[in-house]
Coordinates of all heavy atoms in Angstrom, one line a residue:
M1160 N 91.0 99.7 90.1 CA 92.1 100.2 90.9 C 93.2 99.2 90.8 O 93.0 98.0 90.7 CB 91.6 100.4 92.4 CG 90.7 101.5 92.6 SD 90.1 101.6 94.4 CE 91.2 102.9 94.9
E1161 N 94.3 99.6 90.9 CA 95.5 98.8 90.9 C 95.9 98.2 92.3 O 95.6 98.9 93.3 CB 96.7 99.6 90.5 CG 97.9 98.9 90.1 CD 99.1 99.8 89.4 OE1 98.7 100.4 88.5 OE2 100.1 99.7 90.0
R1162 N 96.4 97.0 92.3 CA 96.7 96.3 93.6 C 97.9 96.9 94.2 O 98.9 97.2 93.5 CB 96.9 94.8 93.3 CG 97.2 94.0 94.5 CD 97.5 92.6 94.1 NE 96.1 92.0 93.6 CZ 95.7 91.0 94.2 NH1 96.2 90.3 95.2 NH2 94.5 90.6 93.8
T1163 N 97.9 97.1 95.4 CA 99.1 97.5 96.1 C 99.8 96.3 96.7 O 99.4 95.5 97.2 CB 98.6 98.4 97.5 OG1 97.8 99.5 96.9 CG2 99.9 98.9 98.1
T1164 N 101.2 96.3 96.4 CA 101.9 95.2 96.7 C 102.9 95.4 97.8 O 103.1 96.6 98.2 CB 102.9 94.7 95.5 OG1 103.7 95.8 95.2 CG2 102.0 94.5 94.2
R1165 N 103.4 94.5 98.4 CA 104.4 94.5 99.6 C 105.6 95.3 99.0 O 106.2 96.0 99.8 CB 104.7 93.0 100.1 CG 105.7 93.2 101.3 CD 105.6 92.3 102.2 NE 106.5 92.4 103.3 CZ 106.3 92.6 104.6 NH1 105.1 92.7 105.0 NH2 107.3 92.7 105.5
K1166 N 106.0 94.9 97.8 CA 107.2 95.7 97.3 C 107.0 97.1 97.2 O 108.0 97.9 97.5 CB 107.5 95.1 95.9 CG 108.8 95.6 95.3 CD 109.0 94.7 93.9 CE 110.3 95.3 93.4 NZ 110.6 94.5 92.1
Q1167 N 105.9 97.7 96.9 CA 105.6 99.1 96.9 C 105.7 99.6 98.2 O 106.3 100.7 98.5 CB 104.2 99.3 96.4 CG 104.1 99.1 94.8 CD 102.7 99.1 94.3 OE1 101.7 98.6 95.0 NE2 102.4 99.9 93.2
L1168 N 105.3 98.9 99.3 CA 105.4 99.4 100.6 C 106.7 99.3 101.2 O 107.2 100.3 101.8 CB 104.5 98.4 101.6 CG 102.9 98.5 101.3 CD1 102.3 97.4 102.2 CD2 102.4 99.9 101.6
E1169 N 107.5 98.2 100.8 CA 108.9 98.2 101.2 C 109.6 99.4 100.5 O 110.6 99.9 101.1 CB 109.4 97.0 100.7 CG 109.0 95.8 101.6 CD 109.5 94.4 101.1 OE1 110.0 94.3 100.0 OE2 109.2 93.4 101.8
F1170 N 109.3 99.8 99.3 CA 110.0 100.9 98.5 C 109.7 102.1 99.2 O 110.7 103.0 99.6 CB 109.6 101.0 97.0 CG 110.1 102.2 96.4 CD1 111.5 102.2 96.0 CD2 109.4 103.3 96.1 CE1 112.0 103.3 95.4 CE2 110.0 104.4 95.4 CZ 111.3 104.4 95.1
L1171 N 108.5 102.4 99.8 CA 108.1 103.6 100.6 C 108.7 103.7 101.8 O 109.2 104.7 102.3 CB 106.5 103.7 100.8 CG 105.7 104.3 99.6 CD1 104.3 104.2 100.0 CD2 106.1 105.7 99.5
C1172 N 108.8 102.5 102.5 CA 109.5 102.3 103.8 C 111.0 102.8 103.6 O 111.6 103.5 104.5 CB 109.4 101.0 104.2 SG 109.8 100.7 105.9
E1173 N 111.7 102.4 102.5 CA 113.1 102.7 102.3 C 113.1 104.3 102.1 O 114.1 105.0 102.6 CB 113.6 102.0 101.1 CG 115.0 102.3 100.8 CD 115.5 101.5 99.7 OE1 115.1 100.4 99.4 OE2 116.6 101.9 99.1
R1174 N 112.3 104.9 101.3 CA 112.2 106.3 101.1 C 112.0 107.1 102.4 O 112.6 108.2 102.6 CB 111.1 106.6 100.1 CG 111.5 106.3 98.7 CD 110.5 106.7 97.7 NE 110.4 108.3 97.8 CZ 109.4 109.0 97.2 NH1 108.5 108.3 96.5 NH2 109.4 110.1 97.2
I1175 N 111.1 106.6 103.3 CA 110.9 107.3 104.6 C 112.3 107.2 105.4 O 112.7 108.1 106.0 CB 109.7 106.6 105.3 CG1 108.5 106.9 104.7 CG2 109.7 107.0 106.8 CD1 107.2 106.2 105.1
N1176 N 112.9 106.0 105.4 CA 114.2 105.9 106.2 C 115.2 106.8 105.5 O 115.9 107.5 106.4 CB 114.7 104.5 106.2 CG 114.1 103.6 107.2 OD1 113.8 103.9 108.4 ND2 113.8 102.4 106.9
N1177 N 115.2 106.9 104.3 CA 116.2 108.0 103.8 C 115.7 109.4 104.0 O 116.7 110.2 104.3 CB 116.3 107.7 102.2 CG 117.1 106.5 101.9 OD1 117.8 106.1 102.5 ND2 116.6 105.9 100.7
A1178 N 114.6 109.7 104.0 CA 114.1 111.2 104.2 C 114.5 111.4 105.7 O 114.6 112.7 106.0 CB 112.7 111.3 104.0
K1179 N 114.2 110.5 106.7 CA 114.4 110.8 108.0 C 115.8 110.5 108.6 O 116.2 110.8 109.7 CB 113.4 109.9 108.9 CG 112.1 110.1 108.6 CD 111.4 111.4 109.3 CE 111.0 111.0 110.7 NZ 110.3 112.1 111.4
K1180 N 116.6 110.0 107.6 CA 118.1 109.8 107.9 C 118.1 108.7 109.0 O 118.9 108.9 109.9 CB 118.9 111.0 108.1 CG 118.9 111.9 107.0 CD 119.7 113.2 107.2 CE 120.0 114.2 106.1 NZ 118.9 114.4 105.3
T1181 N 117.3 107.7 108.9 CA 117.4 106.6 110.0 C 118.0 105.4 109.3 O 118.1 105.2 108.0 CB 116.0 106.4 110.5 OG1 115.1 106.0 109.4 CG2 115.5 107.4 111.1
P1182 N 118.4 104.4 110.0 CA 119.1 103.1 109.6 C 118.1 102.4 108.6 O 116.9 102.5 108.8 CB 119.4 102.3 110.7 CG 119.5 103.3 111.9 CD 118.5 104.4 111.5
L1183 N 118.6 101.8 107.5 CA 117.7 101.1 106.6 C 117.3 99.6 107.1 O 116.3 99.2 106.7 CB 118.4 100.9 105.2 CG 118.8 102.2 104.5 CD1 119.5 102.0 103.2 CD2 117.5 103.0 104.2
A1184 N 118.2 99.1 108.0 CA 117.9 97.8 108.6 C 117.3 97.9 110.0 O 118.0 98.7 110.8 CB 119.0 96.8 108.5
P1185 N 116.4 97.1 110.3 CA 116.0 97.2 111.8 C 117.0 96.7 112.9 O 116.9 97.2 114.0 CB 114.7 96.2 111.8 CG 114.7 95.5 110.6 CD 115.6 96.1 109.6
Y1186 N 117.9 95.6 112.4 CA 118.8 95.2 113.3 C 120.2 95.3 112.6 O 120.3 95.1 111.5 CB 118.6 93.8 113.7 CG 117.2 93.5 114.6 CD1 116.0 93.2 113.9 CD2 117.2 93.8 115.7 CE1 114.9 93.2 114.6 CE2 116.1 93.8 116.6 CZ 114.9 93.4 116.0 OH 113.7 93.4 116.7
N1187 N 121.3 95.4 113.5 CA 122.6 95.4 112.8 C 123.0 93.8 112.9 O 122.3 92.9 113.3 CB 123.6 96.2 113.7 CG 123.8 95.8 115.2 OD1 123.5 94.8 115.4 ND2 124.3 96.7 115.9
D1188 N 124.3 93.6 112.5 CA 124.8 92.2 112.4 C 124.9 91.5 113.8 O 125.1 90.3 113.8 CB 126.1 92.1 111.6 CG 127.2 93.1 112.0 OD1 126.8 94.1 112.7 OD2 128.3 93.0 111.6
K1189 N 124.9 92.3 114.8 CA 124.9 91.8 116.2 C 123.5 91.6 116.8 O 123.4 91.4 118.0 CB 125.8 92.6 117.1 CG 127.3 92.5 116.6 CD 128.3 93.2 117.6 CE 129.7 93.1 117.1 NZ 130.5 93.7 118.0
L1190 N 122.4 91.6 115.9 CA 121.0 91.6 116.3 C 120.8 92.7 117.4 O 119.9 92.3 118.3 CB 120.8 90.2 116.8 CG 120.9 89.1 115.7 CD1 120.6 87.8 116.3 CD2 120.0 89.5 114.6
V1191 N 121.2 93.7 117.3 CA 120.9 94.9 118.2 C 120.0 96.0 117.4 O 120.3 96.2 116.3 CB 122.2 95.6 118.7 CG1 121.8 97.0 119.5 CG2 123.0 94.8 119.5
G1192 N 118.9 96.3 117.9 CA 118.0 97.1 117.2 C 118.5 98.4 116.9 O 119.3 99.1 117.7
Q1193 N 118.3 98.9 115.8 CA 118.8 100.2 115.3 C 117.7 101.2 115.4 O 116.8 101.3 114.7 CB 119.3 100.1 113.8 CG 120.4 99.2 113.7 CD 121.2 99.4 112.3 OE1 121.8 100.3 112.3 NE2 121.1 98.5 111.4
I1194 N 118.0 101.9 116.4 CA 116.9 102.9 116.9 C 116.6 103.9 115.7 O 117.5 104.5 115.2 CB 117.4 103.7 118.2 CG1 117.5 102.7 119.2 CG2 116.3 104.7 118.5 CD1 118.1 103.2 120.5
G1195 N 115.3 104.1 115.6 CA 114.9 105.0 114.5 C 114.3 104.4 113.3 O 113.7 104.9 112.4
N1196 N 114.8 103.1 113.0 CA 114.4 102.5 111.7 C 113.0 102.2 111.6 O 112.2 101.8 112.5 CB 115.1 101.1 111.7 CG 114.5 100.2 110.6 OD1 113.6 99.4 110.8 ND2 115.1 100.5 109.4
F1197 N 112.4 102.5 110.4 CA 111.0 102.2 110.0 C 111.1 100.9 109.2 O 111.8 100.8 108.3 CB 110.5 103.4 109.1 CG 110.2 104.6 109.9 CD1 111.4 105.5 109.9 CD2 109.1 105.0 110.4 CE1 111.1 106.8 110.7 CE2 108.9 106.2 111.1 CZ 110.0 107.1 111.3
H1198 N 110.0 100.1 109.5 CA 110.0 98.8 108.9 C 108.5 98.3 108.9 O 107.6 98.9 109.8 CB 110.9 97.6 109.5 CG 110.6 97.5 110.9 ND1 111.3 98.4 111.9 CD2 110.0 96.6 111.6 CE1 110.9 98.1 113.1 NE2 110.2 96.9 113.0
L1199 N 108.2 97.4 108.1 CA 106.9 96.9 108.1 C 106.6 95.6 109.0 O 107.6 94.9 109.2 CB 106.5 96.4 106.5 CG 106.7 97.4 105.4 CD1 106.5 96.6 104.1 CD2 105.6 98.4 105.7
S1200 N 105.4 95.5 109.4 CA 104.9 94.3 110.2 C 103.7 93.8 109.6 O 102.9 94.6 109.1 CB 104.7 94.8 111.7 OG 104.0 93.9 112.4
A1201 N 103.6 92.5 109.6 CA 102.4 92.0 109.0 C 101.8 90.9 110.0 O 102.5 90.2 110.6 CB 102.9 91.1 107.6
A1202 N 100.5 91.1 110.2 CA 99.8 90.2 111.1 C 98.3 90.3 110.9 O 97.8 91.3 110.3 CB 100.1 90.5 112.6
Y1203 N 97.4 89.3 111.1 CA 96.0 89.3 111.1 C 95.5 89.7 109.6 O 94.5 90.3 109.4 CB 95.4 90.2 112.1 CG 96.1 90.2 113.4 CD1 96.8 91.1 113.9 CD2 95.8 89.0 114.2 CE1 97.4 90.9 115.2 CE2 96.3 88.7 115.4 CZ 97.1 89.7 115.9 OH 97.7 89.7 117.2
G1204 N 96.3 89.4 108.6 CA 95.9 89.6 107.3 C 96.1 91.1 106.8 O 95.7 91.6 105.7
G1205 N 96.9 92.0 107.7 CA 97.0 93.3 107.4 C 98.6 93.6 107.6 O 99.3 92.7 107.9
V1206 N 98.9 94.9 107.3 CA 100.2 95.4 107.5 C 100.2 96.7 108.4 O 99.3 97.3 108.4 CB 100.9 95.6 106.2 CG1 101.2 94.4 105.5 CG2 100.0 96.5 105.3
S1207 N 101.4 97.1 108.9 CA 101.6 98.2 109.7 C 103.0 98.6 109.5 O 103.8 98.0 109.3 CB 101.3 97.8 111.2 OG 101.3 99.0 112.0
L1208 N 103.1 100.0 109.9 CA 104.4 100.6 109.9 C 104.9 100.7 111.2 O 104.2 101.5 112.0 CB 104.4 102.0 109.1 CG 105.8 102.7 109.0 CD1 106.6 102.0 108.1 CD2 105.6 104.1 108.5
H1209 N 106.1 100.0 111.5 CA 106.6 100.2 112.8 C 107.9 100.9 112.8 O 108.6 100.9 111.8 CB 106.9 98.7 113.3 CG 105.6 98.1 113.8 ND1 105.8 96.7 114.4 CD2 104.3 98.4 113.8 CE1 104.4 96.3 114.7 NE2 103.7 97.4 114.4
Q1210 N 108.3 101.6 114.1 CA 109.5 102.2 114.1 C 110.3 101.6 115.3 O 109.7 101.6 116.4 CB 109.4 103.8 114.4 CG 110.7 104.5 114.4 CD 110.6 106.0 114.6 OE1 109.5 106.4 115.1 NE2 111.5 106.7 114.3
T1211 N 111.5 101.2 115.2 CA 112.3 100.7 116.3 C 112.7 101.8 117.4 O 113.1 102.9 116.9 CB 113.6 100.1 115.8 OG1 113.2 99.1 114.8 CG2 114.4 99.4 116.9
M1212 N 112.4 101.5 118.6 CA 112.4 102.5 119.6 C 113.5 102.2 120.7 O 114.1 103.1 121.2 CB 111.2 102.8 120.3 CG 110.0 103.3 119.5 SD 110.4 104.7 118.6 CE 110.4 105.9 119.8
T1213 N 113.9 100.9 120.7 CA 115.0 100.5 121.8 C 115.9 99.6 121.1 O 115.7 98.8 120.1 CB 114.4 99.7 123.0 OG1 113.8 98.5 122.5 CG2 113.3 100.6 123.6
E1214 N 117.1 99.5 121.7 CA 118.1 98.5 121.1 C 117.6 97.0 121.3 O 118.2 96.2 120.7 CB 119.5 98.7 121.8 CG 120.1 100.0 121.4 CD 121.5 100.2 122.1 OE1 121.9 99.4 123.0 OE2 122.2 101.0 121.8
G1215 N 116.8 96.9 122.2 CA 116.2 95.5 122.5 C 115.2 95.1 121.4 O 114.6 94.0 121.4
G1216 N 114.7 96.0 120.6 CA 113.9 95.7 119.6 C 112.4 96.2 119.8 O 111.5 95.9 119.1
G1217 N 112.2 97.0 120.8 CA 110.9 97.5 121.0 C 110.4 98.4 119.9 O 111.3 99.3 119.3
V1218 N 109.3 98.4 119.5 CA 108.7 99.2 118.4 C 107.6 100.0 118.8 O 106.9 99.7 119.8 CB 108.3 98.3 117.3 CG1 109.7 97.5 116.8 CG2 107.3 97.3 117.6
R1219 N 107.2 100.9 117.9 CA 105.8 101.6 118.2 C 105.1 101.6 116.8 O 105.8 101.6 115.7 CB 106.1 103.1 118.5 CG 106.5 104.1 117.4 CD 106.7 105.5 117.9 NE 107.2 106.3 116.7 CZ 106.4 107.2 116.0 NH1 105.2 107.3 116.3 NH2 107.1 107.9 115.1
D1220 N 103.9 101.6 116.8 CA 103.0 101.6 115.5 C 102.9 103.1 115.3 O 102.2 103.9 115.9 CB 101.6 101.1 116.0 CG 100.7 101.1 114.8 OD1 101.1 101.6 113.6 OD2 99.6 100.5 114.9
V1221 N 103.5 103.5 114.1 CA 103.7 104.9 113.7 C 102.3 105.6 113.5 O 102.2 106.6 114.1 CB 104.5 105.0 112.4 CG1 104.5 106.4 111.9 CG2 105.9 104.5 112.6
F1222 N 101.3 105.0 113.0 CA 99.9 105.5 112.8 C 99.0 105.2 114.0 O 97.9 105.7 113.8 CB 99.4 105.1 111.5 CG 100.4 105.6 110.4 CD1 101.0 104.6 109.5 CD2 100.8 106.9 110.2 CE1 101.9 105.0 108.5 CE2 101.6 107.2 109.2 CZ 102.3 106.3 108.3
S1223 N 99.4 104.4 114.9 CA 98.4 104.0 116.0 C 97.1 103.4 115.4 O 96.1 103.7 116.0 CB 98.3 105.2 117.0 OG 99.5 105.6 117.4
C1224 N 97.2 102.7 114.4 CA 95.9 102.0 113.8 C 95.9 100.6 113.6 O 95.0 100.0 113.2 CB 95.6 102.7 112.5 SG 96.9 102.4 111.3
G1225 N 97.0 100.0 114.2 CA 97.1 98.5 114.1 C 97.4 98.0 112.7 O 97.9 98.8 111.8
H1226 N 97.1 96.9 112.5 CA 97.2 96.3 111.1 C 96.1 96.5 110.1 O 95.0 96.3 110.5 CB 97.5 94.8 111.2 CG 98.9 94.6 111.7 ND1 99.1 94.5 113.3 CD2 100.0 94.3 111.3 CE1 100.3 94.2 113.6 NE2 101.0 94.2 112.4
V1227 N 96.4 97.2 109.0 CA 95.4 97.5 108.1 C 95.6 97.0 106.7 O 96.7 96.3 106.5 CB 95.3 99.2 107.9 CG1 94.8 99.7 109.3 CG2 96.6 99.8 107.5
T1228 N 94.7 97.3 105.7 CA 95.1 96.7 104.3 C 96.2 97.5 103.7 O 96.6 98.6 104.2 CB 93.8 97.1 103.4 OG1 93.6 98.4 103.2 CG2 92.6 96.4 103.9
K1229 N 96.8 96.7 102.7 CA 98.1 97.3 102.1 C 97.8 98.7 101.5 O 98.5 99.6 101.6 CB 98.6 96.3 101.1 CG 99.2 95.1 101.6 CD 99.6 94.2 100.5 CE 100.1 92.9 101.1 NZ 100.3 92.0 100.0
R1230 N 96.6 98.8 100.9 CA 96.2 99.9 100.2 C 96.1 101.2 101.2 O 96.5 102.3 101.0 CB 94.8 99.8 99.4 CG 94.4 101.2 98.8 CD 93.3 101.1 97.8 NE 93.8 100.1 96.7 CZ 93.0 99.3 96.1 NH1 91.7 99.2 96.4 NH2 93.4 98.6 95.0
D1231 N 95.4 100.9 102.3 CA 95.3 102.0 103.4 C 96.6 102.3 103.9 O 96.8 103.5 104.1 CB 94.4 101.4 104.6 CG 93.0 101.4 104.1 OD1 92.5 102.0 103.1 OD2 92.1 100.6 104.9
L1232 N 97.6 101.4 104.2 CA 98.9 101.8 104.6 C 99.7 102.5 103.7 O 100.3 103.5 104.0 CB 99.6 100.5 105.1 CG 100.9 100.8 105.7 CD1 100.8 101.5 106.9 CD2 101.7 99.5 106.0
Y1233 N 99.5 102.1 102.4 CA 100.2 102.9 101.2 C 99.8 104.3 101.3 O 100.7 105.2 101.2 CB 99.8 102.3 100.0 CG 100.6 102.9 98.8 CD1 101.9 102.4 98.4 CD2 100.0 103.8 98.0 CE1 102.6 103.0 97.4 CE2 100.7 104.4 96.9 CZ 102.0 103.9 96.7 OH 102.5 104.5 95.6
Q1234 N 98.6 104.6 101.5 CA 98.1 106.0 101.3 C 98.6 106.8 102.7 O 99.0 107.9 102.5 CB 96.6 106.1 101.4 CG 96.0 105.6 100.0 CD 94.5 105.4 100.1 OE1 93.9 105.5 101.1 NE2 93.9 105.2 99.0
M1235 N 98.6 106.1 103.8 CA 99.2 106.7 105.1 C 100.6 107.0 105.0 O 101.1 108.0 105.3 CB 98.8 105.9 106.3 CG 97.4 105.9 106.7 SD 97.0 105.0 108.3 CE 96.9 103.3 107.6
M1236 N 101.4 106.0 104.3 CA 102.8 106.1 104.2 C 103.2 107.3 103.2 O 104.1 108.0 103.4 CB 103.5 104.8 103.8 CG 103.5 103.9 104.9 SD 104.1 102.1 104.4 CE 105.7 102.5 104.1
C1237 N 102.4 107.4 102.1 CA 102.6 108.5 101.1 C 102.5 109.8 101.8 O 103.2 110.8 101.5 CB 101.7 108.4 99.9 SG 102.1 107.1 98.8
A1238 N 101.3 110.0 102.6 CA 101.2 111.2 103.4 C 102.3 111.5 104.3 O 102.7 112.6 104.5 CB 99.8 111.2 104.1
Y1239 N 102.7 110.5 105.0 CA 103.7 110.7 106.0 C 105.1 111.1 105.2 O 105.9 111.9 105.8 CB 104.0 109.3 106.7 CG 104.9 109.4 107.9 CD1 104.6 110.0 109.1 CD2 106.3 109.0 107.8 CE1 105.3 110.1 110.2 CE2 107.0 109.0 108.9 CZ 106.6 109.5 110.1 OH 107.5 109.7 111.2
L1240 N 105.3 110.5 104.2 CA 106.5 110.8 103.4 C 106.5 112.2 103.0 O 107.6 113.0 103.0 CB 106.8 109.9 102.2 CG 108.0 110.1 101.4 CD1 109.3 109.8 102.2 CD2 108.0 109.1 100.2
V1241 N 105.4 112.8 102.5 CA 105.3 114.2 102.0 C 105.5 115.1 103.3 O 106.3 116.1 103.1 CB 103.9 114.5 101.6 CG1 103.6 115.9 101.4 CG2 103.7 113.7 100.1
A1242 N 105.2 114.7 104.4 CA 105.4 115.5 105.6 C 106.8 115.5 106.0 O 107.3 116.5 106.6 CB 104.5 115.0 106.8
C1243 N 107.5 114.4 105.7 CA 108.9 114.3 106.0 C 109.8 115.1 105.2 O 110.8 115.5 105.5 CB 109.4 112.8 106.0 SG 108.7 111.7 107.2
E1244 N 109.4 115.2 104.0 CA 110.4 115.8 102.9 C 110.3 117.3 102.9 O 109.6 118.0 103.5 CB 110.0 115.2 101.6 CG 110.5 113.9 101.5 CD 110.1 113.2 100.1 OE1 109.3 113.6 99.4 OE2 110.9 112.4 99.7

């Protein structure tokens, strides 16, 4: 099996933002959260897909599964992207 990289996850994240017509950056130049943006979070040796929900930077875990392996997140993001398009 091929290794899943952060770059692949970032590319999928950009595709999801484009498909959902949401901002590509989580914050604007005045550090105000851009509501709707999808971005990656990394902690505890895993990664998660978050969506900005408030201008103050509040987020939600899109898949409600916490931080998982890159491979698992890649598969979930691919399925989510198919549902978006």
Side-chain angles (χ1 to χ4, degrees):
M1160 291 179 100
E1161 194 174 306
R1162 179 179 294 239
T1163 302
T1164 65
R1165 177 145 182 125
K1166 188 174 183 177
Q1167 290 171 312
L1168 294 174
E1169 288 170 352
F1170 178 73
L1171 269 180
C1172 196
E1173 184 177 333
R1174 287 187 59 197
I1175 290 171
N1176 278 314
N1177 286 331
K1179 302 279 276 180
K1180 296 180 175 49
T1181 57
L1183 294 177
Y1186 296 95
N1187 65 16
D1188 48 345
K1189 294 185 180 184
L1190 298 179
V1191 175
Q1193 299 202 66
I1194 296 173
N1196 168 265
F1197 291 88
H1198 55 277
L1199 299 174
S1200 168
Y1203 314 112
V1206 287
S1207 180
L1208 182 66
H1209 284 180
Q1210 183 179 23
T1211 304
M1212 301 303 291
T1213 68
E1214 289 182 350
V1218 298
R1219 76 177 180 105
D1220 180 355
V1221 176
F1222 303 117
S1223 300
C1224 63
H1226 292 82
V1227 297
T1228 66
K1229 290 176 188 171
R1230 178 170 294 150
D1231 288 343
L1232 184 61
Y1233 183 85
Q1234 292 171 347
M1235 289 186 275
M1236 289 174 71
C1237 284
Y1239 189 75
L1240 183 59
V1241 168
C1243 290
E1244 294 179 328

